[in-house]
Amino acid sequence: MRDAVIVQAVRTPNGKGRDRGALTGVHPVELLGHTLRELIDRSDVDPSAVDDVIGGCVEQVGEQAKNITRWAWLTAGLPESVPATTVDRQCGSSQQAVHFAAQGVLSGAYEMAVACGVESMSRVPMGSHTPPGTDPFGPGIVQRYPGGLVHPGISAELVAAQWSLSRAEMDAYAATSHQKAAAAYAEGRLRSEIVPVSTTRGTVTADESVRPDATPESLSKLRPAFADPEVSDRFPQIEWSVTAGNSSPLSDGASAVLITTSANAHRLGLKPLARLHSFAAAGADPLLMLTGIIPATEQVLRRAGLELSDIDLFEVSEAFASVVLAWLKETGADTEKVNVNGGAIALGHPVGASGTRLMASLVHSMRGRGARYGLQTMCEAGGLANATILEALY
């Protein structure tokens, strides 16, 4: 029976996604290309044996247009004979790339595939793919959702209201994310997953947004990020408690994983890090677009034949603190098992790269802690979510 295993997983540090961020001087094609080159070098495989490269990217426009995954592979000096494609499932794009790559390996269509992702939010800002005056939804969506859709920040406020999450709870959660990340760096726990990036201003070796001094008190001084009187009229339940401090920052980064069968890994002398055990994708209300991780978690556990208590580690996308807190309330998961090295609030959220960033973090955390099962889930714009369960192979 065929399986799909991860034999290598790497990511760049995440730079701040704004002018003068640590990685803003690096073209996104070069950023992903560097990551792919490092993935292949660390794996010590013949790159011509890769059957396909599947990349995630959200803003596929400008410097990230024209199938960025293909050009990243080629700029890394890797074989022209290997094809590549780029997918968009919003923030879960590169986690979906993992699903597609693993499904190809499981089916026998591939023997070896790469899943990866990239986003340079400093060079290609959010919203770049929707020029002013354009309508990406069409009249049918307007009719189905007559009040209009909202952006993720408003959705995060609606989640906070629906689950009765206070500003203090969200700030406390965000501060903990920074503290976990700072501890992980201090103890060297992130070294195995990070690929340093050379820039004209020096070599970047660490995530730029980690704030070791963040506290609930310091975060409480920040103003609400999305307060809007018109939105208040429409949604009077919103208390305006989402801030830049309890949200993930705009970020630049790339990440990649190499997937094959355990039999092929053995033949090539590779040591599998984890088996891709089960997959799920779910949809939810586009207004509460960030809640899809709740049904996705239920679905992937059911498919795996596992209980929540079987999972040793969780990686849950920290797009906003309210999202993870709502997920915790619904699932009852042990907070000590969630985002043990910090999450996107501290580490950053380069949207197209975040799926394989979380995957790299989960794989290496499982190995470092002797965990058997890990579960990853990503909230995604449009009311979507992916979930994946990994099983250790050591």
Side-chain angles (χ1 to χ4, degrees):
M1 183 176 177
R2 291 179 68 90
D3 60 3
V5 300
I6 295 172
V7 294
Q8 188 55 264
V10 297
R11 69 175 182 95
T12 67
N14 293 327
K16 293 180 180 179
R18 63 187 190 194
D19 289 348
R20 298 198 59 76
L23 298 177
T24 193
V26 183
H27 193 289
V29 171
E30 298 294 322
L31 189 61
L32 180 55
H34 172 68
T35 309
L36 292 170
R37 180 75 262 175
E38 188 71 18
L39 179 79
I40 296 300
D41 287 349
R42 289 192 184 189
S43 305
D44 194 25
V45 298
D46 177 359
S48 66
V50 174
D51 293 298
D52 206 354
V53 185
I54 306 170
C57 184
V58 176
E59 297 289 337
Q60 295 184 33
V61 67
E63 292 180 342
Q64 296 180 165
K66 295 186 177 292
N67 189 9
I68 186 173
T69 312
R70 170 63 171 169
W71 306 114
W73 181 262
L74 295 181
T75 203
L78 297 166
E80 295 174 339
S81 59
V82 176
T85 192
T86 307
V87 300
D88 173 8
R89 201 191 282 273
Q90 296 295 281
C91 295
S93 296
S94 54
Q95 186 170 353
Q96 184 60 58
V98 170
H99 288 196
F100 285 153
Q103 288 157 0
V105 168
L106 286 166
S107 71
Y110 303 149
E111 283 298 318
M112 183 181 294
V114 170
C116 59
V118 65
E119 205 80 36
S120 180
M121 300 176 82
S122 63
R123 298 174 69 108
V124 188
M126 287 184 70
S128 297
H129 58 4
T130 310
T134 60
D135 174 14
F137 303 113
I141 296 300
V142 173
Q143 292 170 9
R144 182 164 183 173
Y145 302 98
L149 299 174
V150 299
H151 64 71
I154 301 301
S155 180
E157 290 280 10
L158 291 170
V159 170
Q162 181 162 321
W163 275 270
S164 301
L165 302 170
S166 69
R167 167 73 183 270
E169 285 179 280
M170 290 190 281
D171 286 346
Y173 180 87
T176 299
S177 183
H178 285 283
Q179 291 158 11
K180 286 179 177 179
Y185 270 108
E187 296 169 16
R189 284 184 266 131
L190 300 179
R191 194 175 299 122
S192 59
E193 69 192 58
I194 290 182
V195 174
V197 179
S198 297
T199 75
T200 56
R201 290 186 285 162
T203 300
V204 183
T205 61
D207 299 298
E208 193 179 10
S209 296
V210 178
R211 295 170 55 190
D213 59 346
T215 65
E217 292 72 28
S218 65
L219 295 176
S220 71
K221 298 175 183 178
L222 298 174
R223 295 180 179 181
F226 305 105
D228 184 322
E230 291 186 8
V231 177
S232 290
D233 290 342
R234 181 180 175 190
F235 302 111
Q237 70 270 36
I238 289 178
E239 296 183 353
W240 301 116
S241 51
V242 176
T243 72
N246 55 44
S247 308
S248 59
L250 303 177
S251 307
D252 301 339
S255 52
V257 301
L258 183 63
I259 299 169
T260 187
T261 65
S262 55
N264 195 39
H266 178 74
R267 183 178 65 82
L268 296 173
L270 303 172
K271 187 174 181 59
L273 300 175
R275 179 169 74 95
L276 288 144
H277 186 289
S278 300
F279 318 97
D285 179 356
L287 286 174
L288 289 170
M289 67 178 76
L290 308 171
T291 63
I293 57 175
I294 296 167
T297 298
E298 296 170 352
Q299 188 180 126
V300 78
L301 287 168
R302 186 169 60 251
R303 289 182 176 177
L306 297 172
E307 301 293 332
L308 193 78
S309 58
D310 293 319
I311 306 301
D312 301 297
L313 292 175
F314 298 90
E315 282 288 335
V316 182
S317 177
E318 284 180 3
F320 301 91
S322 62
V323 177
V324 187
L325 289 170
W327 178 87
L328 284 165
K329 280 194 170 187
E330 287 294 317
T331 63
D334 182 351
T335 57
E336 296 301 313
K337 297 180 178 181
V338 178
N339 300 350
V340 292
N341 293 332
I345 289 173
L347 302 177
H349 185 20
V351 288
S354 287
T356 36
R357 197 286 291 169
L358 266 69
M359 190 70 64
S361 295
L362 182 56
V363 164
H364 290 285
S365 293
M366 288 174 65
R367 193 165 188 81
R369 292 170 179 259
R372 181 179 180 188
Y373 290 113
L375 188 154
Q376 171 183 328
T377 188
M378 295 281 301
C379 59
E380 302 152 9
L384 302 169
N386 283 73
T388 315
I389 290 177
L390 303 182
E391 181 180 16
L393 295 175
Y394 45 77

